[in-house]
Each structure stands twice: as structure tokens, then as C-alpha cells.
Amino acid sequence: MTKNKPPKAPKKEKILEIHSDKRVDNYFWLNQRDTPEVLDYLNAENDYFLSQTKHTETFQEHLFQEMKARIKEDDESVPYKYNGYWYYTRFEKGKEYPIYLRKKDQEGAVEEILFEVNKMAKGYKFYQFAEFSVSPDNKWVSFSIDTRGRRMYSLFLKNIETGEILSTEIKNTDGSSCWANDNKTIFYTKIHSQTLRSYRIYRHQIGQEPKRDTLIFEEKDDTFNIGIFKSKSQKYLVIQSESTLSSEYQILDANTPFEKFKIFHPRERGLEYDIAHYGDYFYIINNSDEATNFKLDRTPVERTEKTHWENVIAHRENTLLEDIEIFKDYLVISERYNGLSRIRMITWDGLQDKYLPFDNETYTASIGLNLDFDTEVLRYTYSSMTTPYSVIDYNMRTGESEVKKEQEILSSDFKKENYQSHRLWATAPDGVQVPISLVYRKGIELDGKNPLLLYGYGSYGITIDPSFSTTRLSLLDRGFIFAIAHIRGGEYLGRPWYEQGKLLQKKNTFSDFIACATHLIKEKYTSSEHLYAIGGSAGGLLMGAVINQAPELFHGIIASVPFVDVVTTMLDDSIPLTTGEYDEWGNPNDQEYYNYMKSYSPYDNVEAKNYPNILVLTGYHDSQVQYWEPAKWVAKLRELKIDNNKLLFYTDMSSGHSGASGRYESLKEIAREYTFLLDLENRITE
């Protein structure tokens, strides 16, 4: 094969049979990682991609420089206070990674460098600094790194006073860790080397060999993942076991790390709960007693079983309770009403109960990092599709607000008032109204000729909120409209919105998206000649499903790390994440779920017909959607599609699910995607 001719993957028939049903998979062999034949095919696809996009290379670089020029390269985060110190990060001009710093909370304090990640990352193609945790006496810090993009982190310990990083390396962790109050004991979570499921909690002491670490808890149920954290009160160590439909917590006084953890309330199928400690009580967000949108209860620290829970905030049919933040004098609640975020503040004595005021319908507001317990200042974040990201401190007693930082857009062309955003509602086939948030540059005509990029996800109850993007300006300023389809499978309209887009109702996610696309065309925001769609991971599954069902609606799609081989993946319990997702997608070992899954799985439903222009992107080390899913999908599309539209496939051989690790490398990935769209619109002029 030549670089200018599409690669043709060899067909090797593989019969997959279950429930007396046979599927023929001619590209099953592509899952043989690191074999010469597989690498040859992926490299051939990369060569073909580069040959087909060579004419856009100059423009890609121009677009990259344009997006980079909007970023304040020498930037610094808003400091947050924790245990007597102010912590913050700094970016320096031209450098990919941040520097982590702190200062004592006192006049004339000297700045301390905790981590200079640019120096640490030298020599690595991929370098992910995950997170760090400081000991209660502020002298030690645990931190984790991933150098493959597979989310398998190595944990290290650093003496802050001397700067020494101990030679001890704890491998195959989930990246998190927390300290007991004795300043020498940490707890961490191990992940399974094959499935990558977080399944064991260990106790480690400074200077101890990892092989001598003590196994504290092992999660035997392979549909659960686990983790460990410390309560905001610093009083408890908490082990969290989570599946899609169930929760279980174990607690231990952080002053007694060698004692046994106690189960907070035993797991029950269908019972989801989360806990926070304050004073003599635990506060529990939970869905017991058919509280679909969740409610808030509390229970004494000595009696944590459900029979002792008493209600604080009742369940509401029209309001989703998302999270809480506890302060000495205030309870702060994050909730969602009619798709919009709300932040509510209540004093413990009940004399004050008020909401932060927001007057937009395409905004995102969320509780920020609030580690300081004894304060009346709430930190929250705000942005909209036309307003850059802001960090705001709000005094809950006085009502005064202070914008600590608004994201700077270093472009003389950018003015908020040049852009417009609003919300539309499309009608799904079953009559349900589906919201769409969209943004565009003022002055466009609704004549059906505007290029429009429609984004969707719609899985796991994850809500895609309408927020600002500096990179998106490169599309908006070239005449694109950008829209988000808030489809079922997310929680934009509450927990029922999620329930109606999973398991045996998963197809609502796809029909909702198609309804949104149809509505945008009908209202002349765009037309099928100018409509594009984009989604990644489970959103990539969405892309694959909708172009099988309604390819005529779209001129092009971008599918990033797409989960497209649903049936085969969900039948393979050795693949990371599979068993933990049976409650999301269904278990195809059950024939009912198998048949339903097979009816929409993008790979299984590729046909000999016209498809839109397609760009598929993946990472070779992806731990969540293995590279072979998009590779097989592209090979089958190449075999069967009957159009002459573009089908391009690129595998980043050094990254994983989240793409490149550096801030500039990730911009190059976005420039690649945008160039694909602008090339199809014949708008590459610079």
C-alpha cells in the first residue's frame, strides 16, 4: 500500500458465538498488541492520514499558534489555603507543565517549590503528574506520576524540608493517597495489572519497602472500584467502594491508623450514598426510599447504619442534589434545576437560606476548592459559553463577592459582547423535549448555510455543562456555530434523565442526538451539507451509532477514542472497566442485553452505504477504550462504505485516553480536529 491509497487491513475470519448467535469478526486480530502486523497497520493508517492532510499542515500550525496566542503563558492559579499554607501552581512561558508551589500563611513568607514538573518530565514523551497529598505536619508529600498514558501511577514520597525524593516506588496505583494523622503512615489504592480495576487498599509507612506494605482491604466484587480519602474534618480515613448502582463506605479514626475500618452502612443493590463528616454527625447524600434525585440525611457518628438516618433536605422531584460542602457555620449545596446549576447556602442554625444569583441559561457554576473549614468565604467557579472561566470568592455572611481571577484571553479581537448564546429545545421521537445549548458570533443569518459543530456524550450520568472555550473561538470566528446536545444518559435534567438513557433505554441517547440535529437543520441554523458532530469515548459510541442510523444528516464527524465495539468488549471481562459497567450498558451474557446491545453497537452495524466524512482518533496506550476498537471500526468502514468521502484514522502511539499530556501538545490535537472541519468547509484561507 502507498501513503496516498487507503490502507486495507487483511481479513481473518473469526467466529464469535453466544446465545446460538454467530458474529463474524474479520478484524478481531487487531487486538494483538505490539505484534508487527498490528503495528504495521496502525503505522500505515498514520502515514495515510499524514499524506491526506499534508496540504493543511501550514494551516494546522497557523491554527495552533493562533490558539496558543490566546493563552497567558506565564500564568498562575488562585492560591487556596490548607493547613496553614497557601498552595498554587504557575506556568512559565514556553513550558508544557506547571510548577507546584506553596507559601506559609504569614507576612513575608518564602515561596517553596514542591514540584517543578517540566524538569521531572524531561526525556518522556508522555508525563502525567497526577496529584499530591501533604502530611498533617506539612513536612512530607506523597505524589504520583504516569509516563505511559495508561493511568497506572507510581507513587513516591518527598521530604519537603530537604527536597529528597525517596527511592521507594509503589507501582500500579490509582494515583491517589492520603495520610494518617501520625505523619508517617499513608494509605493508597492498587489497581489490577490487567483489568486496571482499583481493588486493594494498602497501608505504607515512610522508609518501608512496598513489599512489606499491609493489605487493608480487597474488593472481591469485580463490578466495584474502590478508593481511599480523608474527610475534610481531618478526623476520618474513608474507604469508598462504588459500582454503578451501589455504594459502601468504611471509616477509621485518622489518629488510629492501625485499627480496623468499620463499615458505615453495608452495600445494598440500588442504594447509592456519599458521606461527609461534621462535628457529631455524618451527612449522607443518598437515594434511599425512592429518592431518585437524592436527598440529604444525617446520623450520629456512633450509629451510622441507615436505620439511624434522619432527613435534613427532602427529596425533590424537580431538583437534583449533586453535592455538598461543609463549613463551620454553613452547609453549601450544589443542585440542578431545569438543567441549570444552583448553589444554595444554609446556616446551621437555619436563620439563613439563600441561593447565589445567576441570570443566564447557558452557564456553568460549581463549588470550587474549599479545603478551609473555619471560614465564611465560599469559593466557586463560573463561566458561560460567552464568558471566560472565573474564580470567585463569596462571603456567605455579608453577601460580598470578589472575582479572584478571570481567565485572560490574550487577543485584541476577543470581546464577550461579540458572541451570543442561548438554549433551544428539540422534540425526540417519544415526545420528550431535549435541550440544546449553542453559541455563535453575532451577525450570522439563519439561512441554513452556517457550518455547525454539534457535541454530544450522554452516558454515565455525566452532565456536559455549557462553558467557555478559548480554542473554540477559532471556529466561531470563522463562522461556525457550536452546540451541545444535552441528551438522555447524562443528568442535565436530573437523575431520571440518566436512567432513561442507559441499559435497555440506551437508544434514547442516539435518537435524542438525531432529534437535535434535525431540529437545528429545520430551524435553519445549518443544513446537512454543513452539519458536523463530535464526541469522544462513550461520545464516540454516539458518533458511530448516529452515522449508522442517520448518516445523511451529517457532512462530517469526529470520533475520538470511540467505544464502538460494544458487544465484544462487554463480553471480555479481562478488558479494563468491563465488569464495572454491566449496570451501565448491560451484561451481554444475558441474551436480552446481548440482543439489544448488538442492535446498536456501531461496529456490528456497519453497512454497505454512504457515510459522512469521518476522522477517528485514538491513543495506543488507552486504558479505557482499547486502540483496537477504533482500528477495527475503521477497517470495516473501509471495507463496506460505498461513498468517496474522507475516512481518516490517526493513532497517537505515545498517549492514552486523554491524549497528550502537555498544554501545548493538546492544542496541536485540537488544531488537527478543527482543520479537518475547516478543510471540509473550504475555509482554509490563511
Side-chain angles (χ1 to χ4, degrees):
M1 64 186 77
T2 67
K3 291 183 180 180
N4 293 314
K5 188 176 180 182
K8 188 174 181 180
K11 293 170 66 174
K12 301 180 183 182
E13 185 178 282
K14 171 86 170 179
I15 305 295
L16 303 171
E17 183 173 1
I18 188 174
H19 306 306
S20 300
D21 181 63
K22 292 182 179 180
R23 290 181 301 133
V24 178
D25 189 346
N26 291 318
Y27 304 106
F28 188 87
W29 62 271
L30 280 165
N31 72 357
Q32 302 301 305
R33 182 185 293 274
D34 295 336
T35 59
E37 191 173 21
V38 168
L39 292 172
D40 285 348
Y41 174 69
L42 296 178
N43 287 326
E45 285 284 3
N46 282 358
D47 288 343
Y48 179 68
F49 169 84
L50 293 172
S51 74
Q52 296 302 296
T53 58
K54 188 170 182 59
H55 66 288
T56 69
E57 285 180 355
T58 300
F59 181 75
Q60 281 188 57
E61 178 62 23
H62 170 84
L63 208 57
F64 164 69
Q65 295 296 341
E66 176 182 290
M67 292 187 290
K68 182 181 175 184
R70 294 192 193 104
I71 296 174
K72 191 174 189 301
E73 292 192 66
D74 49 345
D75 201 7
E76 195 167 282
S77 69
V78 179
Y80 65 88
K81 188 179 177 183
Y82 176 67
N83 196 21
Y85 281 81
W86 291 96
Y87 289 84
Y88 52 104
T89 58
R90 178 182 299 144
F91 278 100
E92 294 183 344
K93 189 171 183 178
K95 294 185 178 180
E96 292 276 5
Y97 300 100
I99 304 168
Y100 291 87
L101 309 117
R102 74 174 187 177
K103 277 185 182 179
K104 258 188 178 177
D105 182 26
Q106 62 184 41
E107 193 75 29
V110 177
E111 181 176 87
E112 300 176 42
I113 296 176
L114 294 175
F115 302 102
E116 218 298 25
V117 183
N118 294 288
K119 291 181 180 178
M120 296 165 70
K122 279 188 177 177
Y124 293 97
K125 290 184 178 179
F126 181 95
Y127 194 90
Q128 184 70 54
F129 184 95
E131 57 182 90
F132 66 89
S133 177
V134 179
S135 62
D137 65 2
N138 292 309
K139 295 180 179 180
W140 289 90
V141 58
S142 55
F143 67 97
S144 54
I145 58 171
D146 171 21
T147 57
R148 292 190 66 201
R150 202 158 169 76
R151 301 191 183 188
M152 299 177 73
Y153 297 94
S154 286
L155 189 65
F156 297 91
L157 288 166
K158 179 179 180 177
N159 184 317
I160 301 175
E161 293 181 326
T162 66
E164 179 193 7
I165 296 176
L166 302 188
S167 59
T168 304
E169 177 181 359
I170 303 172
K171 298 181 178 180
N172 293 354
T173 80
D174 71 348
S176 65
S177 57
C178 63
W179 291 83
N181 289 343
D182 65 358
N183 299 302
K184 58 185 179 183
T185 305
I186 66 166
F187 291 81
Y188 63 89
T189 308
K190 277 267 195 180
I191 59 177
H192 192 279
S193 59
Q194 182 176 9
T195 66
L196 305 189
R197 182 173 71 91
S198 52
Y199 75 123
R200 287 177 175 172
I201 304 292
Y202 283 87
R203 184 179 62 226
H204 173 85
Q205 289 195 288
I206 295 174
Q208 182 171 285
E209 286 296 317
K211 65 183 179 182
R212 296 181 56 210
D213 290 353
T214 304
L215 176 63
I216 298 301
F217 173 67
E218 180 170 2
E219 178 55 71
K220 302 289 188 181
D221 187 334
D222 61 9
T223 66
F224 279 75
N225 282 276
I226 62 174
I228 185 165
F229 63 93
K230 201 173 187 181
S231 64
K232 181 177 178 178
S233 66
Q234 305 299 306
K235 171 70 174 173
Y236 290 96
L237 299 163
V238 184
I239 295 175
Q240 176 185 36
S241 293
E242 290 278 357
S243 73
T244 304
L245 295 176
S246 302
S247 315
E248 183 179 76
Y249 287 79
Q250 301 176 54
I251 56 174
L252 176 66
D253 189 319
N255 292 311
T256 59
F258 290 87
E259 298 296 319
K260 188 176 181 181
F261 280 78
K262 170 200 166 188
I263 291 179
F264 187 90
H265 178 76
R267 66 189 65 179
E268 298 176 20
R269 182 163 177 79
L271 173 62
E272 299 172 63
Y273 71 94
D274 195 4
I275 64 174
H277 171 249
Y278 172 55
D280 296 329
Y281 292 92
F282 280 102
Y283 287 77
I284 311 116
I285 299 174
N286 69 93
N287 65 347
S288 65
D289 304 320
E290 300 183 350
T292 308
N293 273 329
F294 292 85
K295 60 188 173 75
L296 183 65
D297 294 334
R298 75 174 188 176
T299 193
V301 293
E302 303 88 5
R303 299 187 297 277
T304 58
E305 293 78 12
K306 191 171 66 173
T307 52
H308 301 289
W309 298 0
E310 57 183 23
N311 190 242
V312 177
I313 296 176
H315 173 254
R316 292 158 291 171
E317 295 289 344
N318 62 357
T319 304
L320 175 67
L321 174 58
E322 293 187 311
D323 202 1
I324 63 171
E325 189 72 62
I326 288 177
F327 296 89
K328 180 183 176 184
D329 297 320
Y330 295 88
L331 170 65
V332 179
I333 300 158
S334 174
E335 58 188 40
R336 188 174 297 272
Y337 174 78
N338 194 31
L340 303 180
S341 304
R342 303 200 301 189
I343 298 176
R344 179 182 179 188
M345 296 152 291
I346 308 171
T347 52
W348 291 111
D349 60 16
L351 297 177
Q352 175 184 302
D353 186 346
K354 63 181 181 181
Y355 286 88
L356 281 171
F358 302 117
D359 58 0
N360 199 323
E361 62 174 6
T362 55
Y363 71 87
T364 300
S366 60
I367 298 173
L369 192 59
N370 291 273
L371 299 180
D372 196 3
F373 174 74
D374 188 6
T375 179
E376 57 191 21
V377 175
L378 168 72
R379 176 162 294 175
Y380 72 97
T381 62
Y382 177 89
S383 79
S384 74
M385 299 185 88
T386 59
T387 307
Y389 176 87
S390 295
V391 178
I392 303 166
D393 280 357
Y394 178 82
N395 189 301
M396 294 180 280
R397 180 179 57 83
T398 66
E400 295 175 344
S401 289
E402 180 185 1
V403 178
K404 303 298 289 186
K405 181 177 183 179
E406 180 175 287
Q407 180 183 11
E408 287 188 61
I409 313 300
L410 299 185
S411 170
S412 57
D413 297 331
F414 175 72
K415 293 181 177 60
K416 298 177 195 178
E417 56 270 22
N418 289 340
Y419 303 89
Q420 182 171 328
S421 68
H422 56 274
R423 188 165 61 167
L424 304 174
W425 297 81
T427 304
D430 60 0
V432 169
Q433 295 295 293
V434 183
I436 309 166
S437 297
L438 71 167
V439 62
Y440 48 86
R441 193 174 175 100
K442 289 180 181 176
I444 67 168
E445 294 183 32
L446 300 184
D447 56 6
K449 297 179 182 178
N450 303 299
L452 188 150
L453 179 59
L454 181 62
Y455 176 86
Y457 188 75
S459 292
Y460 305 108
I462 294 172
T463 297
I464 306 300
D465 279 312
S467 58
F468 188 81
S469 165
T470 61
T471 56
R472 190 187 300 145
L473 295 172
S474 292
L475 287 183
L476 301 183
D477 291 346
R478 290 175 172 83
F480 265 75
I481 299 171
F482 179 82
I484 303 169
H486 301 291
I487 50 185
R488 280 174 281 186
E491 284 186 343
Y492 186 81
L493 292 177
R495 181 64 174 220
W497 200 244
Y498 169 43
E499 301 291 345
Q500 294 167 28
K502 62 187 282 196
L503 297 173
L504 297 175
Q505 298 186 80
K506 186 62 202 172
K507 290 181 185 178
N508 285 335
T509 301
F510 315 136
S511 57
D512 283 2
F513 193 83
I514 291 169
C516 291
T518 303
H519 184 76
L520 290 164
I521 292 171
K522 179 185 175 184
E523 297 299 317
K524 296 190 179 299
Y525 284 91
T526 189
S527 63
S528 58
E529 292 80 17
H530 299 285
L531 177 59
Y532 303 91
I534 185 169
S537 196
L541 160 65
L542 172 68
M543 295 299 103
V546 299
I547 63 169
N548 279 337
Q549 296 174 29
E552 71 283 353
L553 288 176
F554 305 94
H555 190 222
I557 69 142
I558 299 174
S560 182
V561 293
F563 173 41
V564 285
D565 192 13
V566 183
V567 179
T568 305
T569 291
M570 294 305 296
L571 282 169
D572 187 351
D573 60 12
S574 71
I575 294 176
L577 304 184
T578 293
T579 55
E581 306 214 343
Y582 287 155
D583 288 327
E584 177 74 26
W585 309 100
N587 184 346
N589 292 294
D590 179 323
Q591 187 168 359
E592 182 181 23
Y593 287 109
Y594 172 84
N595 291 338
Y596 187 80
M597 213 176 277
K598 184 184 173 187
S599 71
Y600 70 74
S601 173
Y603 181 65
D604 290 289
N605 288 282
V606 173
E607 297 176 328
K609 61 183 178 185
N610 292 319
Y611 282 91
N613 297 283
I614 301 170
L615 171 61
V616 182
L617 303 165
T618 194
Y620 188 59
H621 298 293
D622 194 332
S623 61
Q624 291 174 266
V625 178
Q626 309 296 317
Y627 73 87
W628 59 76
E629 289 200 43
K632 289 167 59 176
W633 184 45
V634 168
K636 192 171 183 179
L637 281 166
R638 288 211 189 283
E639 176 194 352
L640 293 178
K641 76 187 190 82
I642 60 174
D643 57 82
N644 292 316
N645 288 329
K646 294 180 179 180
L647 174 56
L648 301 177
F649 177 39
Y650 183 78
T651 303
D652 187 327
M653 302 303 290
S654 62
S655 76
H657 195 67
S658 301
S661 55
R663 59 173 174 163
Y664 299 128
E665 287 302 312
S666 62
L667 289 181
K668 291 177 181 177
E669 294 179 348
I670 297 170
R672 181 187 299 142
E673 295 172 7
Y674 285 4
T675 299
F676 174 76
L677 300 172
L678 291 162
D679 190 26
L680 290 173
E681 281 292 310
N682 296 311
R683 297 197 180 205
I684 296 181
T685 55
E686 292 133 306

